[in-house]
Amino acid sequence: LVRAEGIISSVSDVTVLFSTTHLLDFLEEPIPGVGTYDDFHTIDWVREKCKDRERHRKINAKKKESAWEFTKSLYDAWSGWLVVTLTGLASGALAGLIDISADWLNDIKEGVCLNAMWFNHEQCCWGSNETTFAERDKCPQWKSWAGLILGQEEGPGSYIMNYFMYIYWALSFALLAVLLVKVFAPYACGSGIPEIKTILSGFIIRGYLGKWTLLIKTVTLVLAVASGLSLGKEGPLVHVACCCGNIFSYLFPKYSKNEAKKREVLSAASAAGVSVAFGAPIGGVLFSLEEVSYYFPLKTLWRSFFAALVAAFVLRSINPFGNSRLVLFYVEYHTPWYLFELIPFILLGVFGGLWGAFFIKANIAWCRRRKSTRFGKYPVLEVIFVAAITAVVAFPNPYTRQNTSELIKELFTDCGPLESSQLCQYRSQMNGSKAFVDASPNKPAGPGVYTAMWQLCLALVFKIIMTIFTFGLKVPAGLFIPSMAIGAIAGRIVGIAVEQLAYYHHDWLVFREWCEVGTDCITPGLYAMVGAAACLGGVTRMTVSLVVIVFELTGGLEYIVPLMAAVMTSKWVGDAFGREGIYESHIRLNGYPFLDAKSEFTHTTLAREVMRPQRSDPPLAVLTQDNLTVEELQGIINETSYNGFPVIVSKESQRLVGFALRRDITIAIGEEKLRRQVVGENAQRKQGDILLTSRVYFTQHAPTLPADSPRPLKLRSILDMSPFTVTDHTPMEIVVDIFRKLGLRQCLVTHNG
Amino acid sequence: LVRAEGIISSVSDVTVLFSTTHLLDFLEEPIPGVGTYDDFHTIDWVREKCKDRERHRKINAKKKESAWEFTKSLYDAWSGWLVVTLTGLASGALAGLIDISADWLNDIKEGVCLNAMWFNHEQCCWGSNETTFAERDKCPQWKSWAGLILGQEEGPGSYIMNYFMYIYWALSFALLAVLLVKVFAPYACGSGIPEIKTILSGFIIRGYLGKWTLLIKTVTLVLAVASGLSLGKEGPLVHVACCCGNIFSYLFPKYSKNEAKKREVLSAASAAGVSVAFGAPIGGVLFSLEEVSYYFPLKTLWRSFFAALVAAFVLRSINPFGNSRLVLFYVEYHTPWYLFELIPFILLGVFGGLWGAFFIKANIAWCRRRKSTRFGKYPVLEVIFVAAITAVVAFPNPYTRQNTSELIKELFTDCGPLESSQLCQYRSQMNGSKAFVDASPNKPAGPGVYTAMWQLCLALVFKIIMTIFTFGLKVPAGLFIPSMAIGAIAGRIVGIAVEQLAYYHHDWLVFREWCEVGTDCITPGLYAMVGAAACLGGVTRMTVSLVVIVFELTGGLEYIVPLMAAVMTSKWVGDAFGREGIYESHIRLNGYPFLDAKSEFTHTTLAREVMRPQRSDPPLAVLTQDNLTVEELQGIINETSYNGFPVIVSKESQRLVGFALRRDITIAIGEEKLRRQVVGENAQRKQGDILLTSRVYFTQHAPTLPADSPRPLKLRSILDMSPFTVTDHTPMEIVVDIFRKLGLRQCLVTHNG
């Protein structure tokens, strides 16, 4: 009847390693070193929570004793708020810094401000007296490189000169970025969100959120954005914020000493990161809740909200864009949308889903290629290569030359009377260079619009291709902005197409009742926004948080329905091709242990079929509770590679007593050896190390031993008296639920005890 | 060594009742009746989820078979979205209906529209040609009762007449409401949120969300609001929405047959309820997440959001308030707030916390009184009594006479040029009856303001007292609006005080740099809003959701910081007096089983100390797996009152095999009896019912029996082969975690198996 118990090496590839030792009985002093984690190991949530409750209880108990203890308890109670406040402040400040310096470096590619080097193009021209918007871009203070070197602004020579300088700066920025990353902080590359998801799910990657990573990531992020590569700074901002959270959490023992509590801070930090990335505090909280967080108690919700707000306010007071907005592309539309428009919106959703699925497949394939083939050996060359291609192709096309977020802004904003962009040159008034349009009526498109269409189509193809190769390079690279740009371009094209359709065929049934001539019924900018949301949704598979983020960008409830329609369509279309978002795919690609809380798990097997060892395997190594010697114990440890051993009553009746860990046992024996050498027991007797022959027992009382036998070694303190057990008939889905919800490390399978 | 296993009757007072029978082995046909729940029992989340996965797997398996099966699977996949859409539509429509009819009934108390009975005061006067705002209230079409009956609008006689009619209508509405509730749907009383929290946590209250409750609650809610009692319709709207969700879920087997899935719909419904109550879709989702929901997967988040939006749009298209807003009190402020103002805001927070704590204590004490003493026997009289007092006291004071939401609106809105209310009669221009003020500068208060102050103070006291006695009456009664009103009054008073202070002492240090004469630096309306949020937070202890709700009311990020400061202060002050909010207190008062997911649980005990039976108790009744006869089994069942019995190997080696349920056993034996009577086994032999003597076995194969013994009864199908077990050394906090996160019904405590 008796069957050996087995350890389920968890379904989530969590390496079975470390047991819950929440029952170190506190009579004996706990052995130092027990209860810490190695690098690249998963934490035990249950145990961490118990540790925290224990600490909390101690503090409460001592609180009454003295005023000093009371203040300490107060400090402890407030540390949670302090740390999120500090995190919010830091992330807001860093975000502002990054925005400003990225703008400046980005403009350096094109020219320089004569009277003040450190001004970017816009700031440089603020002082100028050409205040008309068409003329705004050319002010005397701002010299393009051609103008500076050749002394002439126009002509093919200067064009080539600018072209050359553009490429030169782009390459040097990219080179500097990749070198910095390679030399100082290899962890600083990529968007960081997959790793943060993994860390939040309980994995430990030392140094991933350290100060070096923070420093290098901040610098290289600016360089990477400025180098004109097809990447964004939004994703890495989350990583930066998490670094801040991690660093500040070291100021508070409550968080630095407890991995689970630290992850609460990180959840709040990621919320702050998104909040500054998109100027969407609520969206940030929902992002942290929906996308990255694993264990998200309500207290964390509240603190994340607070951190997100603080960060947003710091950023607003820094005011990096000079528009008193948190983000460059904040828009307000004034015309409502009509039911018929849902059709193009849903089409955009389909496009977004297709793009997302295609991008994930292509990008993952490419990254795998890079990992496998020797081509991945030369990250620096790769970056230079990609940057060169990007720069060469990007420069001729104004829509790819300019900063991506500026592109998105231009695509989002509707054609108002003050819009000078090519996109708004409608035919009604092509008189003179200034293309002023009064917002309201739909107009037939002018040549400017048509050229813009072509350039946008080219830009679309270009961005689609480059993004696939860029995401995954060894530089900080975010995915939000490129995806949004692609979607915005597609959306704007569709929008203008519909607009022209409505203008020329306003007698069609679909347009007739709501779109007469001279009325403004179609808002191309709205299409761009919907497309951006759809593409972003297709890539990341975010839903609520994404809609809320974009809702906070537009600040109008009216447009939520189009957004939801598009985002949901894109998610469904994308899921049809593959259920994982880009982040899950990269987690899988890098082989991090991550048990997705969202994915539905549909095993029909029972625990007995999954557990190890199977009947075919050699039986599991078990320890008996009171008749092993240290020598036998060490033998078992050396022979087997298991990380823990079930302790049973005796070989005859194999009933489970508890669970003891390899790591703890070795530490304990080492300790004991030291102590005995100090006491000098070995010296007293002649034969060598008597420790080996002495008995080990896990029971409460020492077993009866023959008189001359050496002093037995009591290991009850490292014995986990309450291992999680399931019967061998438990269905796997329940086991997975237990692992997922309690955050276990391992689970023992028993048959009739 | 062997100790009897015990059943932990869960720490949450969940009556240990029903085990997870997810292992009915599907070879035998499941016995009908197994797996349903009785009324007032808790569901088993684990089992429900397994059932759903099983169903899902079946559908997926059959999907390929035929086109019909495929459509069925599609229908199944979409039913989730369908049901939330329907719920959203219904709740939005009902909310609009309730708003409109409540307004109308409310105005009936004062007078009637001559040319159209069914118009309320405002609609009646829309047609009139007195378009000035001061005159708006008196238009010829609208006749007060005195004007109608006595033929004169002015004078003491007519005043008394109106007074009388007011009381008359109030009493009749209240009487009608309480009678309807008492006769038709007793569940329709109260706010319903405590019960919904309990239901969402897995409790079953049949008929609480039924169609009768829905109907009666909708009608009586209108009456109760119109009767002028100090209550609001926001809380009950959540109940109404949940009724809709529950009713619609019966259209879809996926939800009607599975209690856990049904609760997902209810979560979405409660989000929709708050969304229509406050016009805050995102706030509604967060409310459902933070306040009411227990098990909230991400899919539910997404659907709740959708339901909330649908409901909001339906309500907006109904446009009950004629301002194209979702709520009556939607405001927009234009002046920023200054750092110094945080002091009064925090003071308001303190006030809110104190009020919350006081209200909870007083209200609970009163309700307990009502329960215990014979005074609770006459709910109708009580309602009449309270309604009478309310009406008598309320009429003379304009601020208590008017509808509470209108009062809140008036308090929230800042004094603009178009404000005709007494609150805005500042001294600068008291010329003539019209009190026009241009918004910007702070003015010295005129006599109107001072009288308003006094009336507001009286109203404050009045509302505080009446609300305590009103909440808990046998009529639908929401708590949001009264609390907000109290907070708004207090806030407005403080606001005007600060404003006057700033006006008269603008040379003080605190005011000097930012508040000169003739500038508009203080916004009393903002104070009112902050106070409202603070009081609501003090009573309900909501945090994020509350802030987001109010944020959606104002629609400006700027004011989130004051709101957060106030709400957090009120929460902390309130928690200092008692940790639970009004809903938790009422749950406890009514003795519903509810394991709060939020409350930190700080037991230091071990499972062995909590489990039943204790050593002192009689040992637990256990079943052996193969040597019981039906007679013995029935004997055990009749003697004991346990709802389930652990099945062990044998009396000698008491190792756990599984867990069998009283309910299942009885059902199974009954079945068997029937079957044997059909087969007619009893007829064959002479002696009576041989079933009693036949052996019962839970093992896979029948035990060997003497030849002449009757056919044994196999009960393996009702045996739960995978009961949740913990060792007797498990700390209680872990056990509680398990109960909380897995939603267990019971848990077996084992010692060495």
Side-chain angles (χ1 to χ4, degrees), chain B residues 553-568:
Chain B
L553 284 183
T554 57
L557 266 178
E558 295 78 38
Y559 306 107
I560 280 193
V561 169
L563 285 170
M564 285 186 75
V567 171
M568 283 159 64

Side-chain angles (χ1 to χ4, degrees), chain A residues 350-528:
Chain A
V350 174
F351 170 77
L354 290 174
W355 147 252
F358 167 69
F359 173 79
I360 291 172
K361 289 222 183 314
N363 180 257
I364 290 296
W366 180 249
C367 290
R368 185 165 287 119
R369 185 99 192 289
R370 183 188 290 131
K371 272 179 124 65
S372 55
T373 62
R374 49 187 291 283
F375 167 59
K377 303 276 181 305
Y378 311 107
V380 181
L381 279 181
E382 186 187 4
V383 171
I384 297 300
F385 188 66
V386 175
I389 291 185
T390 316
V392 171
V393 182
F395 186 82
N397 185 340
Y399 291 106
T400 50
R401 189 195 310 173
Q402 74 190 134
N403 180 346
T404 316
S405 12
E406 277 164 11
L407 169 64
I408 293 177
K409 181 191 183 197
E410 183 175 341
L411 292 169
F412 278 7
T413 44
D414 205 6
C415 285
L418 303 180
E419 269 309 320
S420 65
S421 83
Q422 213 179 5
L423 272 173
C424 297
Q425 292 175 7
Y426 287 90
R427 196 170 320 120
S428 56
Q429 58 293 75
M430 291 302 298
N431 41 12
S433 69
K434 300 191 194 52
F436 280 7
V437 179
D438 60 326
S440 45
N442 282 359
K443 296 262 176 11
V449 177
Y450 287 116
T451 51
M453 286 297 97
W454 282 115
Q455 291 168 338
L456 280 180
C457 292
L458 292 176
L460 182 62
V461 177
F462 166 75
K463 285 223 172 275
I464 287 181
I465 295 169
M466 289 322 292
T467 309
I468 292 172
F469 294 103
T470 308
F471 190 70
L473 288 181
K474 289 270 168 289
V475 291
L479 193 52
F480 287 136
I481 287 293
S483 317
M484 286 178 80
I486 289 166
I489 295 174
R492 187 77 184 213
I493 293 172
V494 173
I496 293 181
V498 174
E499 183 189 41
Q500 294 306 312
L501 204 66
Y503 176 78
Y504 286 112
H505 305 281
H506 48 77
D507 51 353
W508 283 5
L509 184 70
V510 289
F511 297 120
R512 196 181 297 141
E513 61 273 9
W514 54 271
C515 197
E516 299 84 19
V517 193
T519 61
D520 176 22
C521 45
I522 310 279
T523 315
L526 176 60
Y527 284 72

